[in-house]
Amino acid sequence: MELWYTEKQTENHGITTKITDTLYSEKTEFQQIDVITTKQFGRMLVLDGMVMTTDVDEFVYHEMISHVALHTHPNPKKVLVVGGGDGGAIREIVKHAAVEKAVLAEIDGGVIESCKKYFPEIASALTGHPKVDVQVIDGIKHIHDHKGEYDVIMVDSTEPVGPAVGLFEKGFYQGIYDALKPDGIMVAQTESPWFNRDLIKRVFKDLKSIFPVTRLYTCSIPTYPSGLWSFTIASKQYDPLEVDPAKIKDLGTKYYNADVHYAAFKLPNFVAELTRD
């Protein structure tokens, strides 16, 4: 008998992949965590029935949420990741020599522990790395309690359901602004331009009303809804399109490079219109 896992991405659409077994299943205070082995994408982390990451394509998301902002800021010494319990963003952040401290604020310790065990390459920087501070805490509270401390803040959230709902609200973005230094930058994953157009448009408008520089960029992630994914970067001072290409370092990435840095902001018309008033 064949075993298949299906993620229902909308009421009318889903993706399905052949699996061999379930490695881990836990219901935490916040969500259902499952780790399954797929034939196509290796191990897959699923939270509340939604694909979060896989062995095969994880590098795209983690590189793109991290390196665009970190190369835009000229000296990112202190960086915060809200969510991101798999550790992939933290792994990419500590590749930057300028970074002195990388803080992970993840509300669900179960995600952190399961990823340490089943996704050791993704979670490699979560144990014993001298630059990394892992905190099992509500990211909204952490931001509220740390005004003016961070050079870069990354919102590595799940879809806007359950414990992640508050991470897509204007008040949260104002809190991020306050937690950033005077030249700080934030970046957030903002879902699929095919399935979440209203969300992208709302988030972009909210961030544009708070930050002087706001831009949308995209990348290709095969296991995420529609395969086309968006991020929104907002900055108090620096524009990602004005970065000197010579300052974009080769950090051994698989997806991100200097050409991709700029190309990611070249948007199809149907996506670009989401950034217009």
Side-chain angles (χ1 to χ4, degrees), residues 27 55 71 77 81 100-101 103 172 174 198 205 218 246:
K27 178 69 173 179
D55 285 334
H71 279 109
K77 291 183 178 181
V81 178
E100 297 175 355
K101 187 172 185 179
V103 179
F172 175 60
Q174 182 62 57
D198 290 344
K205 182 179 179 181
T218 63

Side-chain angles (χ1 to χ4, degrees), residues 11-218:
E11 291 185 359
N12 303 305
H13 176 78
I15 60 166
T16 188
T17 188
K18 187 185 288 187
I19 69 172
T20 57
D21 56 357
T22 299
L23 298 172
Y24 181 76
S25 185
E26 177 192 6
K27 178 69 173 179
T28 72
E29 176 186 354
F30 301 100
Q31 58 204 334
Q32 175 65 40
I33 303 173
D34 293 289
V35 179
I36 57 180
T37 306
T38 75
K39 298 287 286 186
Q40 190 71 45
F41 292 99
R43 290 183 177 181
M44 176 181 284
L45 174 66
V46 180
L47 300 182
D48 283 341
M50 297 175 288
V51 177
M52 292 295 111
T53 196
T54 80
D55 285 334
V56 172
D57 69 350
E58 58 86 11
F59 63 89
V60 183
Y61 178 90
H62 293 130
E63 290 177 11
M64 291 302 285
I65 198 172
S66 304
H67 296 303
V68 174
L70 291 171
H71 279 109
T72 299
H73 197 291
N75 193 26
K77 291 183 178 181
K78 190 172 183 180
V79 183
L80 170 67
V81 178
V82 177
D86 57 34
I90 292 288
R91 179 195 66 196
E92 298 303 312
I93 290 166
V94 297
K95 292 178 180 179
H96 289 256
V99 173
E100 297 175 355
K101 187 172 185 179
V103 179
L104 179 72
E106 165 63 56
I107 198 170
D108 192 345
V111 174
I112 296 171
E113 295 308 314
S114 60
C115 289
K116 284 181 181 179
K117 181 174 182 179
Y118 296 103
F119 299 91
E121 291 187 5
I122 301 176
S124 59
L126 294 186
T127 303
H129 196 289
K131 293 184 178 182
V132 176
D133 177 11
V134 177
Q135 299 185 23
V136 179
I137 190 173
D138 183 345
I140 297 174
K141 182 181 186 302
H142 182 90
I143 282 176
H144 180 268
D145 293 341
H146 294 80
K147 307 292 187 186
E149 287 193 19
Y150 290 99
D151 297 297
V152 177
I153 296 176
M154 302 173 188
V155 185
D156 184 0
S157 65
T158 62
E159 280 82 345
V161 295
V165 169
L167 304 184
F168 291 84
E169 296 178 352
K170 186 175 181 179
F172 175 60
Y173 300 139
Q174 182 62 57
I176 289 178
Y177 183 95
D178 296 337
L180 288 167
K181 295 177 184 178
D183 62 347
I185 297 173
M186 72 150 286
V187 60
Q189 74 85 6
T190 43
E191 303 290 308
S192 164
W194 287 106
F195 298 148
N196 307 98
R197 294 176 60 78
D198 290 344
L199 180 144
I200 294 171
K201 190 168 186 175
R202 174 176 57 80
V203 169
F204 192 89
K205 182 179 179 181
D206 287 346
L207 287 172
K208 190 176 180 180
S209 72
I210 299 170
F211 288 84
V213 180
T214 307
R215 296 195 181 278
L216 184 72
Y217 65 96
T218 63

